mmCIF file of all heavy atoms in Angstrom:
data_model
loop_
_atom_site.group_PDB
_atom_site.id
_atom_site.type_symbol
_atom_site.label_atom_id
_atom_site.label_comp_id
_atom_site.label_asym_id
_atom_site.label_seq_id
_atom_site.Cartn_x
_atom_site.Cartn_y
_atom_site.Cartn_z
ATOM 1 N N ALA A 1 6.356 -6.127 30.473
ATOM 2 C CA ALA A 1 6.834 -4.787 30.153
ATOM 3 C C ALA A 1 6.786 -4.566 28.654
ATOM 4 O O ALA A 1 6.970 -5.479 27.857
ATOM 5 C CB ALA A 1 8.272 -4.615 30.653
ATOM 6 N N VAL A 2 6.515 -3.325 28.247
ATOM 7 C CA VAL A 2 6.488 -2.977 26.833
ATOM 8 C C VAL A 2 7.921 -2.793 26.354
ATOM 9 O O VAL A 2 8.717 -2.095 26.981
ATOM 10 C CB VAL A 2 5.674 -1.681 26.609
ATOM 11 C CG1 VAL A 2 5.683 -1.303 25.139
ATOM 12 C CG2 VAL A 2 4.259 -1.851 27.123
ATOM 13 N N ARG A 3 8.257 -3.406 25.232
ATOM 14 C CA ARG A 3 9.594 -3.302 24.700
ATOM 15 C C ARG A 3 9.849 -1.898 24.175
ATOM 16 O O ARG A 3 8.918 -1.206 23.743
ATOM 17 C CB ARG A 3 9.780 -4.319 23.571
ATOM 18 C CG ARG A 3 9.565 -5.761 23.991
ATOM 19 C CD ARG A 3 9.840 -6.675 22.805
ATOM 20 N NE ARG A 3 9.627 -8.078 23.153
ATOM 21 C CZ ARG A 3 8.501 -8.720 22.943
ATOM 22 N NH1 ARG A 3 7.478 -8.088 22.423
ATOM 23 N NH2 ARG A 3 8.374 -9.996 23.273
ATOM 24 N N PRO A 4 11.073 -1.438 24.163
ATOM 25 C CA PRO A 4 11.381 -0.132 23.588
ATOM 26 C C PRO A 4 10.967 -0.094 22.120
ATOM 27 O O PRO A 4 11.129 -1.067 21.383
ATOM 28 C CB PRO A 4 12.909 -0.027 23.748
ATOM 29 C CG PRO A 4 13.241 -0.971 24.852
ATOM 30 C CD PRO A 4 12.248 -2.089 24.759
ATOM 31 N N SER A 5 10.425 1.038 21.694
ATOM 32 C CA SER A 5 9.933 1.172 20.328
ATOM 33 C C SER A 5 11.103 1.375 19.372
ATOM 34 O O SER A 5 11.868 2.330 19.504
ATOM 35 C CB SER A 5 8.956 2.355 20.249
ATOM 36 O OG SER A 5 8.466 2.501 18.960
ATOM 37 N N ARG A 6 11.240 0.452 18.393
ATOM 38 C CA ARG A 6 12.308 0.535 17.406
ATOM 39 C C ARG A 6 11.748 0.160 16.040
ATOM 40 O O ARG A 6 11.884 -0.975 15.580
ATOM 41 C CB ARG A 6 13.463 -0.399 17.780
ATOM 42 C CG ARG A 6 14.180 -0.023 19.070
ATOM 43 C CD ARG A 6 15.281 -1.026 19.379
ATOM 44 N NE ARG A 6 15.964 -0.697 20.633
ATOM 45 C CZ ARG A 6 16.932 -1.450 21.183
ATOM 46 N NH1 ARG A 6 17.311 -2.574 20.569
ATOM 47 N NH2 ARG A 6 17.499 -1.094 22.309
ATOM 48 N N TYR A 7 11.113 1.117 15.390
ATOM 49 C CA TYR A 7 10.535 0.864 14.083
ATOM 50 C C TYR A 7 11.549 1.223 12.998
ATOM 51 O O TYR A 7 12.282 2.192 13.111
ATOM 52 C CB TYR A 7 9.260 1.683 13.894
ATOM 53 C CG TYR A 7 8.161 1.294 14.854
ATOM 54 C CD1 TYR A 7 7.678 2.196 15.794
ATOM 55 C CD2 TYR A 7 7.596 0.024 14.816
ATOM 56 C CE1 TYR A 7 6.673 1.838 16.671
ATOM 57 C CE2 TYR A 7 6.595 -0.341 15.693
ATOM 58 C CZ TYR A 7 6.132 0.571 16.617
ATOM 59 O OH TYR A 7 5.140 0.219 17.491
ATOM 60 N N THR A 8 11.572 0.430 11.931
ATOM 61 C CA THR A 8 12.504 0.647 10.835
ATOM 62 C C THR A 8 11.722 0.836 9.534
ATOM 63 O O THR A 8 10.507 1.023 9.544
ATOM 64 C CB THR A 8 13.472 -0.546 10.699
ATOM 65 O OG1 THR A 8 12.711 -1.714 10.304
ATOM 66 C CG2 THR A 8 14.164 -0.837 12.023
ATOM 67 N N TRP A 9 12.446 0.744 8.423
ATOM 68 C CA TRP A 9 11.835 0.947 7.106
ATOM 69 C C TRP A 9 10.722 -0.045 6.844
ATOM 70 O O TRP A 9 9.807 0.243 6.053
ATOM 71 C CB TRP A 9 12.898 0.811 6.018
ATOM 72 C CG TRP A 9 13.501 -0.568 5.926
ATOM 73 C CD1 TRP A 9 14.607 -1.040 6.563
ATOM 74 C CD2 TRP A 9 12.986 -1.663 5.155
ATOM 75 N NE1 TRP A 9 14.830 -2.351 6.245
ATOM 76 C CE2 TRP A 9 13.858 -2.766 5.380
ATOM 77 C CE3 TRP A 9 11.898 -1.829 4.302
ATOM 78 C CZ2 TRP A 9 13.656 -4.009 4.782
ATOM 79 C CZ3 TRP A 9 11.692 -3.065 3.712
ATOM 80 C CH2 TRP A 9 12.576 -4.138 3.945
ATOM 81 N N ARG A 10 10.751 -1.225 7.473
ATOM 82 C CA ARG A 10 9.715 -2.226 7.213
ATOM 83 C C ARG A 10 8.343 -1.719 7.630
ATOM 84 O O ARG A 10 7.370 -1.828 6.880
ATOM 85 C CB ARG A 10 10.057 -3.523 7.948
ATOM 86 C CG ARG A 10 11.290 -4.232 7.421
ATOM 87 C CD ARG A 10 11.579 -5.498 8.199
ATOM 88 N NE ARG A 10 11.979 -5.202 9.574
ATOM 89 C CZ ARG A 10 12.241 -6.135 10.485
ATOM 90 N NH1 ARG A 10 12.110 -7.426 10.183
ATOM 91 N NH2 ARG A 10 12.618 -5.792 11.705
ATOM 92 N N THR A 11 8.270 -1.148 8.824
ATOM 93 C CA THR A 11 6.991 -0.616 9.293
ATOM 94 C C THR A 11 6.576 0.597 8.487
ATOM 95 O O THR A 11 5.421 0.708 8.046
ATOM 96 C CB THR A 11 7.093 -0.233 10.774
ATOM 97 O OG1 THR A 11 7.372 -1.405 11.543
ATOM 98 C CG2 THR A 11 5.787 0.387 11.261
ATOM 99 N N PHE A 12 7.516 1.512 8.258
ATOM 100 C CA PHE A 12 7.165 2.742 7.544
ATOM 101 C C PHE A 12 6.771 2.452 6.095
ATOM 102 O O PHE A 12 5.883 3.108 5.545
ATOM 103 C CB PHE A 12 8.326 3.728 7.599
ATOM 104 C CG PHE A 12 8.591 4.258 8.973
ATOM 105 C CD1 PHE A 12 9.796 4.015 9.609
ATOM 106 C CD2 PHE A 12 7.628 4.981 9.656
ATOM 107 C CE1 PHE A 12 10.037 4.500 10.896
ATOM 108 C CE2 PHE A 12 7.857 5.467 10.934
ATOM 109 C CZ PHE A 12 9.067 5.230 11.559
ATOM 110 N N SER A 13 7.390 1.458 5.464
ATOM 111 C CA SER A 13 7.026 1.103 4.085
ATOM 112 C C SER A 13 5.614 0.549 4.021
ATOM 113 O O SER A 13 4.825 0.912 3.135
ATOM 114 C CB SER A 13 8.020 0.083 3.524
ATOM 115 O OG SER A 13 9.315 0.629 3.446
ATOM 116 N N GLY A 14 5.278 -0.351 4.952
ATOM 117 C CA GLY A 14 3.943 -0.919 4.961
ATOM 118 C C GLY A 14 2.871 0.117 5.237
ATOM 119 O O GLY A 14 1.839 0.170 4.554
ATOM 120 N N VAL A 15 3.122 0.979 6.221
ATOM 121 C CA VAL A 15 2.145 2.019 6.560
ATOM 122 C C VAL A 15 2.017 3.024 5.420
ATOM 123 O O VAL A 15 0.911 3.469 5.086
ATOM 124 C CB VAL A 15 2.551 2.718 7.867
ATOM 125 C CG1 VAL A 15 1.650 3.917 8.133
ATOM 126 C CG2 VAL A 15 2.483 1.737 9.034
ATOM 127 N N ALA A 16 3.140 3.390 4.784
ATOM 128 C CA ALA A 16 3.105 4.341 3.669
ATOM 129 C C ALA A 16 2.336 3.770 2.484
ATOM 130 O O ALA A 16 1.571 4.486 1.818
ATOM 131 C CB ALA A 16 4.519 4.704 3.250
ATOM 132 N N LEU A 17 2.510 2.481 2.208
ATOM 133 C CA LEU A 17 1.787 1.839 1.104
ATOM 134 C C LEU A 17 0.286 1.903 1.335
ATOM 135 O O LEU A 17 -0.480 2.320 0.449
ATOM 136 C CB LEU A 17 2.245 0.392 0.974
ATOM 137 C CG LEU A 17 1.474 -0.477 -0.033
ATOM 138 C CD1 LEU A 17 1.771 -0.020 -1.452
ATOM 139 C CD2 LEU A 17 1.829 -1.954 0.139
ATOM 140 N N ILE A 18 -0.154 1.514 2.523
ATOM 141 C CA ILE A 18 -1.587 1.503 2.821
ATOM 142 C C ILE A 18 -2.144 2.925 2.870
ATOM 143 O O ILE A 18 -3.222 3.200 2.332
ATOM 144 C CB ILE A 18 -1.830 0.779 4.157
ATOM 145 C CG1 ILE A 18 -1.389 -0.690 4.039
ATOM 146 C CG2 ILE A 18 -3.302 0.861 4.567
ATOM 147 C CD1 ILE A 18 -1.373 -1.436 5.358
ATOM 148 N N GLY A 19 -1.415 3.854 3.488
ATOM 149 C CA GLY A 19 -1.881 5.235 3.578
ATOM 150 C C GLY A 19 -1.987 5.901 2.221
ATOM 151 O O GLY A 19 -2.952 6.632 1.945
ATOM 152 N N THR A 20 -1.011 5.652 1.342
ATOM 153 C CA THR A 20 -1.059 6.231 0.003
ATOM 154 C C THR A 20 -2.254 5.712 -0.789
ATOM 155 O O THR A 20 -2.940 6.472 -1.471
ATOM 156 C CB THR A 20 0.242 5.915 -0.758
ATOM 157 O OG1 THR A 20 1.363 6.423 -0.022
ATOM 158 C CG2 THR A 20 0.235 6.544 -2.143
ATOM 159 N N ALA A 21 -2.513 4.418 -0.687
ATOM 160 C CA ALA A 21 -3.657 3.844 -1.395
ATOM 161 C C ALA A 21 -4.974 4.441 -0.899
ATOM 162 O O ALA A 21 -5.856 4.765 -1.697
ATOM 163 C CB ALA A 21 -3.662 2.327 -1.224
ATOM 164 N N LEU A 22 -5.107 4.599 0.411
ATOM 165 C CA LEU A 22 -6.331 5.189 0.958
ATOM 166 C C LEU A 22 -6.504 6.631 0.489
ATOM 167 O O LEU A 22 -7.613 7.068 0.154
ATOM 168 C CB LEU A 22 -6.296 5.138 2.489
ATOM 169 C CG LEU A 22 -6.469 3.757 3.129
ATOM 170 C CD1 LEU A 22 -6.277 3.853 4.637
ATOM 171 C CD2 LEU A 22 -7.840 3.179 2.805
ATOM 172 N N LEU A 23 -5.403 7.388 0.445
ATOM 173 C CA LEU A 23 -5.471 8.780 0.012
ATOM 174 C C LEU A 23 -5.894 8.876 -1.444
ATOM 175 O O LEU A 23 -6.789 9.663 -1.804
ATOM 176 C CB LEU A 23 -4.108 9.447 0.216
ATOM 177 C CG LEU A 23 -4.008 10.928 -0.182
ATOM 178 C CD1 LEU A 23 -4.934 11.774 0.679
ATOM 179 C CD2 LEU A 23 -2.574 11.419 -0.070
ATOM 180 N N PHE A 24 -5.297 8.068 -2.310
ATOM 181 C CA PHE A 24 -5.658 8.097 -3.726
ATOM 182 C C PHE A 24 -7.087 7.619 -3.945
ATOM 183 O O PHE A 24 -7.780 8.113 -4.830
ATOM 184 C CB PHE A 24 -4.691 7.237 -4.532
ATOM 185 C CG PHE A 24 -3.330 7.861 -4.714
ATOM 186 C CD1 PHE A 24 -2.251 7.101 -5.143
ATOM 187 C CD2 PHE A 24 -3.119 9.196 -4.459
ATOM 188 C CE1 PHE A 24 -0.993 7.664 -5.309
ATOM 189 C CE2 PHE A 24 -1.869 9.780 -4.618
ATOM 190 C CZ PHE A 24 -0.806 9.019 -5.044
ATOM 191 N N GLU A 25 -7.526 6.656 -3.134
ATOM 192 C CA GLU A 25 -8.882 6.135 -3.263
ATOM 193 C C GLU A 25 -9.922 7.235 -3.021
ATOM 194 O O GLU A 25 -10.968 7.262 -3.676
ATOM 195 C CB GLU A 25 -9.087 4.983 -2.278
ATOM 196 C CG GLU A 25 -10.512 4.457 -2.184
ATOM 197 C CD GLU A 25 -10.953 3.709 -3.426
ATOM 198 O OE1 GLU A 25 -10.089 3.343 -4.245
ATOM 199 O OE2 GLU A 25 -12.163 3.488 -3.566
ATOM 200 N N LEU A 26 -9.632 8.145 -2.099
ATOM 201 C CA LEU A 26 -10.580 9.215 -1.791
ATOM 202 C C LEU A 26 -10.764 10.182 -2.959
ATOM 203 O O LEU A 26 -11.847 10.732 -3.156
ATOM 204 C CB LEU A 26 -10.104 9.990 -0.550
ATOM 205 C CG LEU A 26 -10.124 9.233 0.781
ATOM 206 C CD1 LEU A 26 -9.553 10.119 1.885
ATOM 207 C CD2 LEU A 26 -11.536 8.799 1.138
ATOM 208 N N PHE A 27 -9.703 10.405 -3.746
ATOM 209 C CA PHE A 27 -9.750 11.409 -4.808
ATOM 210 C C PHE A 27 -9.856 10.812 -6.209
ATOM 211 O O PHE A 27 -10.020 11.551 -7.177
ATOM 212 C CB PHE A 27 -8.495 12.293 -4.738
ATOM 213 C CG PHE A 27 -8.430 13.154 -3.506
ATOM 214 C CD1 PHE A 27 -7.759 12.721 -2.371
ATOM 215 C CD2 PHE A 27 -9.069 14.386 -3.467
ATOM 216 C CE1 PHE A 27 -7.705 13.504 -1.235
ATOM 217 C CE2 PHE A 27 -9.018 15.174 -2.329
ATOM 218 C CZ PHE A 27 -8.338 14.736 -1.207
ATOM 219 N N GLN A 28 -9.763 9.504 -6.323
ATOM 220 C CA GLN A 28 -9.745 8.858 -7.637
ATOM 221 C C GLN A 28 -11.108 8.907 -8.294
ATOM 222 O O GLN A 28 -12.118 8.540 -7.702
ATOM 223 C CB GLN A 28 -9.286 7.407 -7.492
ATOM 224 C CG GLN A 28 -9.316 6.617 -8.770
ATOM 225 C CD GLN A 28 -8.182 6.969 -9.718
ATOM 226 O OE1 GLN A 28 -7.375 7.854 -9.431
ATOM 227 N NE2 GLN A 28 -8.107 6.294 -10.825
ATOM 228 N N ARG A 29 -11.161 9.376 -9.565
ATOM 229 C CA ARG A 29 -12.398 9.375 -10.335
ATOM 230 C C ARG A 29 -12.385 8.323 -11.451
ATOM 231 O O ARG A 29 -13.431 7.863 -11.873
ATOM 232 C CB ARG A 29 -12.648 10.758 -10.946
ATOM 233 C CG ARG A 29 -12.960 11.843 -9.921
ATOM 234 C CD ARG A 29 -13.440 13.113 -10.616
ATOM 235 N NE ARG A 29 -13.786 14.154 -9.662
ATOM 236 C CZ ARG A 29 -12.965 15.137 -9.284
ATOM 237 N NH1 ARG A 29 -11.735 15.191 -9.780
ATOM 238 N NH2 ARG A 29 -13.356 16.035 -8.402
ATOM 239 N N GLY A 30 -11.215 7.985 -11.937
ATOM 240 C CA GLY A 30 -11.120 7.010 -13.011
ATOM 241 C C GLY A 30 -11.220 5.583 -12.488
ATOM 242 O O GLY A 30 -10.605 5.232 -11.483
ATOM 243 N N ASN A 31 -11.999 4.772 -13.172
ATOM 244 C CA ASN A 31 -12.151 3.357 -12.811
ATOM 245 C C ASN A 31 -11.744 2.491 -14.000
ATOM 246 O O ASN A 31 -12.265 2.657 -15.109
ATOM 247 C CB ASN A 31 -13.603 3.049 -12.432
ATOM 248 C CG ASN A 31 -14.041 3.789 -11.184
ATOM 249 O OD1 ASN A 31 -13.843 3.324 -10.074
ATOM 250 N ND2 ASN A 31 -14.640 4.967 -11.374
ATOM 251 N N LEU A 32 -10.818 1.600 -13.765
ATOM 252 C CA LEU A 32 -10.333 0.718 -14.815
ATOM 253 C C LEU A 32 -11.436 -0.253 -15.219
ATOM 254 O O LEU A 32 -12.011 -0.940 -14.368
ATOM 255 C CB LEU A 32 -9.103 -0.034 -14.315
ATOM 256 C CG LEU A 32 -8.231 -0.733 -15.347
ATOM 257 C CD1 LEU A 32 -7.618 0.277 -16.311
ATOM 258 C CD2 LEU A 32 -7.126 -1.515 -14.644
ATOM 259 N N VAL A 33 -11.742 -0.310 -16.513
ATOM 260 C CA VAL A 33 -12.830 -1.157 -16.995
ATOM 261 C C VAL A 33 -12.389 -2.610 -17.115
ATOM 262 O O VAL A 33 -13.106 -3.533 -16.705
ATOM 263 C CB VAL A 33 -13.352 -0.635 -18.351
ATOM 264 C CG1 VAL A 33 -14.361 -1.625 -18.948
ATOM 265 C CG2 VAL A 33 -13.999 0.729 -18.173
ATOM 266 N N ASP A 34 -11.214 -2.827 -17.692
ATOM 267 C CA ASP A 34 -10.735 -4.183 -17.934
ATOM 268 C C ASP A 34 -9.758 -4.607 -16.850
ATOM 269 O O ASP A 34 -8.954 -3.797 -16.381
ATOM 270 C CB ASP A 34 -10.051 -4.268 -19.300
ATOM 271 C CG ASP A 34 -10.969 -3.826 -20.422
ATOM 272 O OD1 ASP A 34 -12.005 -4.490 -20.619
ATOM 273 O OD2 ASP A 34 -10.663 -2.815 -21.078
ATOM 274 N N PRO A 35 -9.782 -5.861 -16.441
ATOM 275 C CA PRO A 35 -8.820 -6.325 -15.432
ATOM 276 C C PRO A 35 -7.407 -6.337 -15.986
ATOM 277 O O PRO A 35 -7.187 -6.548 -17.186
ATOM 278 C CB PRO A 35 -9.310 -7.747 -15.111
ATOM 279 C CG PRO A 35 -10.080 -8.168 -16.324
ATOM 280 C CD PRO A 35 -10.701 -6.931 -16.883
ATOM 281 N N LEU A 36 -6.439 -6.104 -15.125
ATOM 282 C CA LEU A 36 -5.044 -6.175 -15.522
ATOM 283 C C LEU A 36 -4.635 -7.627 -15.758
ATOM 284 O O LEU A 36 -5.248 -8.552 -15.203
ATOM 285 C CB LEU A 36 -4.160 -5.565 -14.431
ATOM 286 C CG LEU A 36 -4.299 -4.065 -14.197
ATOM 287 C CD1 LEU A 36 -3.450 -3.647 -13.004
ATOM 288 C CD2 LEU A 36 -3.892 -3.276 -15.425
ATOM 289 N N PRO A 37 -3.606 -7.854 -16.573
ATOM 290 C CA PRO A 37 -3.108 -9.235 -16.729
ATOM 291 C C PRO A 37 -2.732 -9.824 -15.377
ATOM 292 O O PRO A 37 -2.161 -9.140 -14.518
ATOM 293 C CB PRO A 37 -1.873 -9.044 -17.626
ATOM 294 C CG PRO A 37 -2.129 -7.777 -18.367
ATOM 295 C CD PRO A 37 -2.879 -6.894 -17.425
ATOM 296 N N TRP A 38 -3.061 -11.092 -15.181
ATOM 297 C CA TRP A 38 -2.888 -11.688 -13.857
ATOM 298 C C TRP A 38 -1.443 -11.663 -13.361
ATOM 299 O O TRP A 38 -1.233 -11.569 -12.143
ATOM 300 C CB TRP A 38 -3.452 -13.110 -13.840
ATOM 301 C CG TRP A 38 -2.686 -14.123 -14.645
ATOM 302 C CD1 TRP A 38 -2.928 -14.525 -15.917
ATOM 303 C CD2 TRP A 38 -1.547 -14.867 -14.202
ATOM 304 N NE1 TRP A 38 -2.022 -15.455 -16.313
ATOM 305 C CE2 TRP A 38 -1.154 -15.705 -15.275
ATOM 306 C CE3 TRP A 38 -0.833 -14.926 -13.014
ATOM 307 C CZ2 TRP A 38 -0.072 -16.569 -15.194
ATOM 308 C CZ3 TRP A 38 0.248 -15.792 -12.919
ATOM 309 C CH2 TRP A 38 0.623 -16.599 -14.002
ATOM 310 N N PRO A 39 -0.405 -11.728 -14.226
ATOM 311 C CA PRO A 39 0.958 -11.644 -13.663
ATOM 312 C C PRO A 39 1.230 -10.313 -12.951
ATOM 313 O O PRO A 39 1.899 -10.288 -11.915
ATOM 314 C CB PRO A 39 1.862 -11.823 -14.887
ATOM 315 C CG PRO A 39 1.032 -12.571 -15.869
ATOM 316 C CD PRO A 39 -0.358 -12.052 -15.669
ATOM 317 N N PHE A 40 0.682 -9.203 -13.498
ATOM 318 C CA PHE A 40 0.862 -7.911 -12.849
ATOM 319 C C PHE A 40 0.130 -7.880 -11.510
ATOM 320 O O PHE A 40 0.656 -7.394 -10.504
ATOM 321 C CB PHE A 40 0.350 -6.789 -13.751
ATOM 322 C CG PHE A 40 1.194 -6.538 -14.960
ATOM 323 C CD1 PHE A 40 0.901 -7.156 -16.161
ATOM 324 C CD2 PHE A 40 2.290 -5.696 -14.901
ATOM 325 C CE1 PHE A 40 1.682 -6.931 -17.283
ATOM 326 C CE2 PHE A 40 3.084 -5.468 -16.021
ATOM 327 C CZ PHE A 40 2.779 -6.094 -17.211
ATOM 328 N N THR A 41 -1.097 -8.382 -11.510
ATOM 329 C CA THR A 41 -1.876 -8.391 -10.272
ATOM 330 C C THR A 41 -1.221 -9.276 -9.221
ATOM 331 O O THR A 41 -1.151 -8.921 -8.037
ATOM 332 C CB THR A 41 -3.303 -8.884 -10.560
ATOM 333 O OG1 THR A 41 -3.908 -8.047 -11.548
ATOM 334 C CG2 THR A 41 -4.152 -8.840 -9.303
ATOM 335 N N LEU A 42 -0.728 -10.449 -9.650
ATOM 336 C CA LEU A 42 -0.085 -11.372 -8.711
ATOM 337 C C LEU A 42 1.187 -10.760 -8.131
ATOM 338 O O LEU A 42 1.428 -10.845 -6.917
ATOM 339 C CB LEU A 42 0.231 -12.687 -9.416
ATOM 340 C CG LEU A 42 0.956 -13.739 -8.562
ATOM 341 C CD1 LEU A 42 0.101 -14.148 -7.371
ATOM 342 C CD2 LEU A 42 1.313 -14.963 -9.413
ATOM 343 N N ALA A 43 2.002 -10.129 -8.980
ATOM 344 C CA ALA A 43 3.243 -9.511 -8.501
ATOM 345 C C ALA A 43 2.947 -8.400 -7.500
ATOM 346 O O ALA A 43 3.611 -8.288 -6.457
ATOM 347 C CB ALA A 43 4.046 -8.975 -9.680
#
């Protein structure tokens, strides 16, 4: 049997993060030339 659906902030946060990135990717024109410092990327 399928369990009752009980989604919380964990699911909505993950989906919102991925959806926002995809949306910005479609409209983004600026491309960063230099890589960010690795601590920022790792975090």
Side-chain angles (χ1 to χ4, degrees):
V2 178
R3 301 183 181 94
S5 180
R6 295 178 181 177
Y7 296 117
T8 66
W9 64 269
R10 293 179 293 177
T11 297
F12 292 117
S13 297
V15 173
L17 173 69
I18 297 171
T20 302
L22 288 175
L23 180 63
F24 286 165
E25 173 70 15
L26 292 177
F27 293 93
Q28 176 75 358
R29 292 190 178 96
N31 295 273
L32 195 63
V33 172
D34 303 297
L36 293 175
W38 69 265
F40 289 93
T41 302
L42 178 62

